[in-house]
Amino acid sequence: MKKISSPSMTARAAIGALFFVTGIFLVVFGLFPARLHSAMPGSGTLNPGGPAVNWVGTAVGGGSLDESTCVEGVNCDTFLVTLSGTPTNWAGLKARIVISCADPSGLSDYDLYVHKGDNTGPVVGESAHGGTPPEVVDLDPSDPTIGTGQFSVHVVYFSAFAGFQYSGSASPVSVSAGSTLAPSAPLDRGPKIGFQNFEGPGTLVQVTDSSQGPTVHTVEYMGHDAGEPSIGVNWNSPNSASGVTNFQSDLQTLFIKFDDSCPANGQSATWYNSPAPTSQFVDSDPIGFTDRQTGRVFAGELTLTSPTCKVSFTDTDGLDQLGQPSYAGWSPSSGPLGSGIDHETIGGGPYHAPAPPHGPYPNAVYYCSQDLVTAFCLRSDDGGATYGPPVPTYTSQCGGLHGHVKVAPDGTVYLPNNSCGGTGAVVVSEDNGLTWSVRAVQNASAQTRANSNLQDPAVGIDNNGRVYFAMSSSTVAGSAIGGSNAVVATSTDRGQTWQNIYDVGAVYGLKNIAFPAAVAADAGRAAVAFYGSTTSGDGSANSFSGVWHLYVASTFDGGLHWTTNDVTPKDPMQRGCIWSHGGADICRNLLDFFDMTVDKQGRVQVGYVDGCTDGACAQAAITAKGNAYTARGVIARQSSGRRLIANFDPLHARSAPGMPSVTVRRVNGVVHLAWSEADTGNANISSYRIMRGTASGAETLLTSVSGNQTTYNDITATDPNVTYYYKVLAVNSVGTSCGNNEIAAPYLGDTCTGLIVQKTPPGHPEQPLQGLAPASLAIDWVAVAEPPGTNNLMFKIRVTNLASVPPNSRWRMVWNSYAAQSYDPAAEQFYVGMRTDQNGTPSFGYGTIATAVVGLVIGVPTETSIGPLPGSSFNADGSITLIVPKSAVGSPAPGDLLGAVNGRTFTGDTPETRNLERSTLLVDHTFVKGQRDNGHPAATYTVVGNVSCGP
């Protein structure tokens, strides 16, 4: 009988009956071909040592209430699996049979019945839940009624059609492995936890190196190329009562001081960059760690694909003796560390008893990394100045990625991994890193499941030593096709046993999870953070169409109950896939993880990456295709609710709202405002006050709107010579939010003649030549338009002057698009542009760009021409106009996004370089050298549909 887990049992039964009647109708009228009784393949043998056996369904579909009413080949089919050997060969193991379906709607519903022998034999296992959660049956050969031999896996299409066919698998698992998905976490009934989001400011900083390409001197926007960030707080800093936050990403180490007084200067957060002297090109996999007990901040960088790492540390928040950010505020470790070539992490904490001899620095510091499979850890006994030899933590026992290393108050060291024998695990040392043990995260009723989309799991440890484990746990063992859950678990015996294995994303209906992080402080208090999407299927597939938000789940009773919050409720932080397989892909803009921490006063802080920044992307419809492909660093900082340190819990449950996060688009005479409120103060928002001014800091009330409204279109901001400034204030019964969320709306043109999506800074400091590039190759701005009355896109690139056109040169506009794969499966970008030959004669064309990978990380963008661009031209004033039919570049529809739009110029082309777009060949660019948009604002264009711009 159908075991329907949803509350709408009657509705489910009605749907099943409807499918059943439909199936009978189709059988009677002969609309299904005969003899479709077997799955594909129809049989297989499972050995105790593996590998897994896989198959797919072949029935055409329909509906059947159970086995007694189904028709083979119509609405049920059969796979025969043979368990080889004898029960003795299966000692300690069982066979797990899983049926799953990647239907993103969640409506397809299959039931699983397993018979001994064939379908006439006794049923030895069944699973018939409602919806698309995997149906799982475990066969234990040690059970005399089961044993080994042939079994019939009978799959009934309760309500399913062949458009979303099921996938089946049989695999050997430990007899201790739980067979069920983690249940929804019991809800904490206390006040919700509120957050405010602070993104890296659009401030240019001088840097001596850039990971986007080797240069002697250049500029970057602060925190705008912030993939896989680390975050920590120096609790001992004299510069802030709550501690100074540091945010490590790329080659920047940013330090942030928060001011909760809502200062009149408009700066609730001040940022500065103090990069470590060892954070220089050529580097990769940046990592940071802050020892909150001592205040020491560490910054590490792998030396690209060389198995070495360079680490520096600071006790002064990166400040020198004069209080200025500089290399003098840092101390480098002595020489590169021996390491693996990938996925490094730094952690530290007290020594485990008995403590080895060590210097005056009180805590051990651990550096861990991995060589594709084997992971190593090194220990420093002098605060990070020197490190001991590498010690293997695991070799063949684990095959996934490890997460951040953490140290418990008693000195136990934890290195989480997402795939050790098919489950999540913690790799544990209780002797200061000399030996390590792998401990799977599972119990008798539930387990974590390895995800083929490689992702770090995470651990946090509270002051009593309770471990909190968080993981993107696959709904289908070892596969990504069924999505994943935000699974947490707790342990009080150093990972030997686990309790409270729950799904903390179920309350929001989340079906895909990425990049979990964890932190804990006081006994029983912890928080986990993760990206989540309500769309099922493989979240790393290029075809994935879901949107992602940042979520934080908190517990205040040791993991018995959880409260989960959407921290970006009206502001998706990514559209489409989140790539998690390394290499180069346009949806790998976020890279591989993010981080979270707690400040001195118990506030949770999440350092994450926003891949859908600014108005065009944030305000797009949920059905829009495309993304901004940004990598902007953001800190979500707790602003209300209970904290991880009980002494700092607010006196009252209710408070004034937090600052809304505001985005803006100024298009064709209208300023489109939208905002996202992640902290209501645990009271209903009664209204939002929209402030406007024509000078920064001079806003006055424009209008007020309902507390249920989160958008506003200002049709009175019509002066093209004026930049308008806006703030949005939230109001509830307690008070009004701080107004330090000002946003500017400059006039940038229109969609008929050209909407500027990116300008280069005055003086062109971004150029390798520092503003000395020829005027013909110095890019002032790039724009996109849709000429009315056509079905074309028009791209414009404006250089300083084209009175003289250099030979052997290229002027390119590039944007990210999976539609390029229709021409070249390896391509993920289009280009349009002008090229000159050796005589300076121009031609115009378009094509695709594919980024191959050399080794592990270096991308080599290569152009492939598709054809010419009739109607394109250039002018001596420096403007280049490029016309391309929409049908030639994927037919973007109104509402879709063109992301990471950018300009690039090259000169001195040779036969060997004329189709290459290496960053080292650039003369000028607009802050998208590869595939990530690290400019400000994001260079994203919203397709409007070739509409008129005038009255």
Side-chain angles (χ1 to χ4, degrees):
M1 173 162 302
K2 170 62 73 175
K3 299 175 181 66
I4 301 173
S5 56
S6 108
S8 182
M9 182 177 294
T10 302
R12 281 288 186 178
I15 293 173
L18 176 61
F19 274 84
F20 171 68
V21 172
T22 304
I24 293 298
F25 174 85
L26 294 173
V27 171
V28 170
F29 285 90
L31 299 183
F32 287 107
R35 305 185 65 83
L36 286 175
H37 62 277
S38 296
M40 182 64 68
S43 62
T45 298
L46 180 64
N47 300 311
V53 176
N54 299 287
W55 69 95
V56 294
T58 60
V60 183
S64 178
L65 298 180
D66 55 32
E67 285 190 288
S68 66
T69 59
C70 78
V71 178
E72 285 293 305
V74 177
N75 45 24
C76 57
D77 68 9
T78 300
F79 177 81
L80 298 177
V81 61
T82 299
L83 304 189
S84 69
T86 66
T88 302
N89 301 130
W90 285 81
L93 298 171
K94 58 185 176 182
R96 172 158 293 165
I97 297 172
V98 180
I99 298 299
S100 60
C101 173
D103 181 358
S105 72
L107 295 178
S108 296
D109 195 348
Y110 294 90
D111 294 341
L112 169 62
Y113 302 86
V114 181
H115 297 259
K116 179 73 172 176
D118 59 24
N119 286 343
T120 65
V123 174
V124 293
E126 66 177 275
S127 178
H129 298 92
T132 56
E135 306 294 352
V136 180
V137 166
D138 285 345
L139 301 178
D140 185 352
S142 67
D143 184 339
T145 64
I146 295 178
T148 56
Q150 179 177 291
F151 297 84
S152 170
V153 181
H154 199 202
V155 179
V156 174
Y157 292 51
F158 180 80
S159 57
F161 282 116
F164 290 105
Q165 195 61 264
Y166 79 86
S167 298
S169 69
S171 58
V173 299
S174 169
V175 292
S176 62
S179 61
T180 62
L181 296 175
S184 179
L187 297 181
D188 178 287
R189 298 299 180 181
K192 300 291 282 185
I193 314 302
F195 288 84
Q196 296 179 136
N197 289 278
F198 299 86
E199 68 174 36
T203 303
L204 283 173
V205 293
Q206 300 286 336
V207 294
T208 56
D209 296 277
S210 169
S211 65
Q212 293 273 7
T215 53
V216 177
H217 177 83
T218 187
V219 292
E220 292 179 342
Y221 285 102
M222 187 181 293
H224 278 45
D225 197 9
E228 52 192 35
S230 305
I231 190 172
V233 178
N234 175 5
W235 287 15
N236 295 340
S237 176
N239 301 317
S240 172
S242 61
V244 171
T245 299
N246 58 84
F247 186 103
Q248 171 71 47
S249 65
D250 196 47
L251 304 180
Q252 299 181 7
T253 305
L254 305 177
F255 293 86
I256 305 96
K257 292 185 286 186
F258 292 99
D259 188 337
D260 294 307
S261 69
C262 193
N265 66 2
Q267 301 297 315
S268 291
T270 56
W271 302 59
Y272 65 88
N273 181 35
S274 180
T278 48
S279 295
Q280 299 184 16
F281 192 84
V282 174
D283 289 326
S284 64
D285 275 23
I287 197 71
F289 165 67
T290 302
D291 188 333
R292 66 193 189 202
Q293 295 180 353
T294 67
R296 180 161 291 184
V297 177
F298 297 82
E301 299 275 351
L302 285 176
T303 310
L304 207 55
T305 57
S306 169
T308 60
C309 172
K310 306 180 293 294
V311 178
S312 296
F313 57 87
T314 176
D315 296 321
T316 61
D317 300 325
L319 303 177
D320 61 21
Q321 292 183 340
L322 299 178
Q324 299 299 311
S326 74
Y327 287 160
W330 292 83
S331 299
S333 299
S334 62
L337 283 65
S339 76
I341 62 172
D342 190 29
H343 226 67
E344 61 180 348
T345 174
I346 304 173
Y351 286 94
H352 195 286
H358 59 85
Y361 190 80
N363 288 343
V365 179
Y366 295 90
Y367 172 86
C368 304
S369 61
Q370 62 188 83
D371 262 338
L372 299 183
V373 176
T374 301
F376 304 92
C377 286
L378 300 73
R379 191 186 76 222
S380 173
D381 294 326
D382 52 14
T386 62
Y387 289 79
V391 175
T393 61
Y394 58 80
T395 53
S396 59
Q397 307 98 309
C398 301
L401 292 178
H402 67 64
H404 294 341
V405 63
K406 299 286 182 71
V407 181
D410 69 351
T412 303
V413 189
Y414 297 88
L415 187 69
N417 189 287
N418 79 334
S419 182
C420 298
T423 67
V426 288
V427 188
V428 182
S429 175
E430 298 180 70
D431 57 7
N432 301 302
L434 298 180
T435 61
W436 298 80
S437 301
V438 177
R439 297 171 182 172
V441 181
Q442 60 186 12
N443 58 29
S445 61
Q447 68 171 163
T448 53
R449 290 177 173 170
N451 193 327
S452 62
N453 285 341
L454 301 178
Q455 298 183 32
D456 301 10
V459 293
I461 307 112
D462 70 22
N463 292 341
N464 270 6
R466 185 188 302 266
V467 179
Y468 302 82
F469 180 89
M471 178 176 169
S472 172
S473 182
S474 180
T475 62
V476 180
S479 173
I481 61 171
S484 55
N485 298 327
V487 173
V488 297
T490 65
S491 175
T492 57
D493 56 7
R494 302 174 184 87
Q496 297 184 74
T497 62
W498 293 90
Q499 307 79 41
N500 306 319
I501 301 180
Y502 294 128
D503 178 0
V504 294
V507 66
Y508 280 94
L510 301 181
K511 298 178 181 178
N512 258 296
I513 303 300
F515 304 166
V519 68
D522 276 0
R525 297 192 172 208
V528 300
F530 47 89
Y531 302 146
S533 174
T534 57
T535 301
S536 186
D538 184 352
S540 196
N542 291 168
S543 59
F544 184 76
S545 60
V547 299
W548 303 79
H549 291 243
L550 174 69
Y551 296 85
V552 175
S554 305
T555 181
F556 301 93
D557 57 8
L560 294 174
H561 300 85
W562 292 82
T563 177
T564 303
N565 301 275
D566 185 345
V567 180
T568 59
K570 297 291 184 179
D571 186 4
M573 44 68 52
Q574 179 85 339
R575 292 179 179 272
C577 57
I578 294 179
W579 187 255
S580 54
H581 299 287
D585 193 281
I586 57 175
C587 76
R588 202 184 173 219
N589 51 311
L590 311 178
L591 295 182
D592 296 338
F593 59 82
F594 66 88
D595 198 10
M596 68 189 305
T597 189
V598 58
D599 73 13
K600 186 176 181 179
Q601 296 175 344
R603 298 179 188 86
V604 170
Q605 294 187 25
V606 184
Y608 70 100
V609 192
D610 191 343
C612 180
T613 57
D614 299 328
C617 190
Q619 296 180 22
I622 195 171
T623 56
K625 296 180 180 179
N627 188 37
Y629 302 103
T630 49
R632 192 169 302 173
V634 187
I635 297 174
R637 182 173 182 261
Q638 185 178 346
S639 48
S640 69
R642 290 160 292 171
R643 302 184 184 180
L644 296 191
I645 300 177
N647 285 343
F648 291 97
D649 281 350
L651 296 177
H652 305 287
R654 296 185 177 186
S655 60
M659 283 189 298
S661 298
V662 185
T663 61
V664 66
R665 289 188 304 129
R666 187 173 179 180
V667 180
N668 296 346
V670 179
V671 175
H672 303 273
L673 291 171
W675 54 92
S676 176
E677 178 59 82
D679 180 10
T680 66
N682 284 290
N684 291 332
I685 302 294
S686 58
S687 65
Y688 289 102
R689 301 172 61 199
I690 300 173
M691 318 292 289
R692 189 184 75 181
T694 56
S696 177
E699 293 89 352
T700 59
L701 181 65
L702 174 64
T703 189
S704 292
V705 299
S706 163
N708 297 320
Q709 185 173 330
T710 56
T711 61
Y712 179 78
N713 294 329
D714 185 2
I715 60 174
T716 65
T718 57
D719 190 338
N721 300 308
V722 171
T723 294
Y724 294 91
Y725 295 85
Y726 296 87
K727 296 180 179 181
V728 177
L729 281 61
V731 181
N732 67 9
S733 59
V734 179
T736 303
S737 64
C738 177
N740 289 343
N741 58 359
E742 182 181 82
I743 193 165
Y747 179 75
L748 297 171
D750 58 48
T751 62
C752 297
T753 60
L755 187 69
I756 295 174
V757 294
Q758 188 65 262
K759 291 183 177 180
T760 50
H764 293 281
E766 80 288 344
Q767 296 175 357
L769 296 176
Q770 292 295 285
L772 300 179
S776 58
L777 298 166
I779 302 171
D780 293 334
W781 49 258
V782 293
V784 186
E786 298 171 78
T790 75
N791 196 30
N792 297 329
L793 288 169
M794 179 168 68
F795 293 86
K796 287 187 174 181
I797 182 169
R798 178 65 179 260
V799 296
T800 304
N801 190 281
L802 278 172
S804 175
V805 181
N808 297 317
S809 299
R810 283 174 288 157
W811 296 258
R812 293 291 187 250
M813 284 189 67
V814 178
W815 69 99
N816 291 354
S817 174
Y818 286 118
Q821 294 174 341
S822 64
Y823 295 98
D824 176 0
E828 296 180 345
Q829 293 175 300
F830 283 113
Y831 76 85
V832 292
M834 182 173 81
R835 178 195 293 272
T836 54
D837 61 16
Q838 66 272 19
N839 300 314
T841 302
S843 61
F844 304 89
Y846 75 105
T848 61
I849 298 176
T851 301
V853 176
V854 177
L856 292 177
V857 294
I858 302 178
V860 185
T862 303
E863 298 177 359
T864 299
S865 175
I866 297 174
L869 291 179
S872 300
S873 63
F874 80 94
N875 192 286
D877 67 1
S879 60
I880 301 173
T881 302
L882 305 158
I883 308 292
V884 61
K886 290 180 179 178
S887 59
V889 289
S891 299
D896 288 347
L897 304 174
L898 307 184
V901 182
N902 65 95
R904 309 172 182 182
T905 58
F906 306 85
T907 196
D909 279 347
T910 67
E912 293 74 28
T913 66
R914 68 189 308 271
N915 293 322
L916 298 182
E917 294 204 2
R918 279 188 184 275
S919 59
T920 51
L921 300 175
L922 288 169
V923 177
D924 202 2
H925 64 94
T926 57
F927 292 95
V928 185
K929 294 181 181 179
Q931 298 170 322
R932 296 189 302 276
D933 185 344
N934 61 345
H936 189 91
T940 311
Y941 179 81
T942 304
V943 177
V944 298
N946 302 92
V947 297
S948 173
C949 300

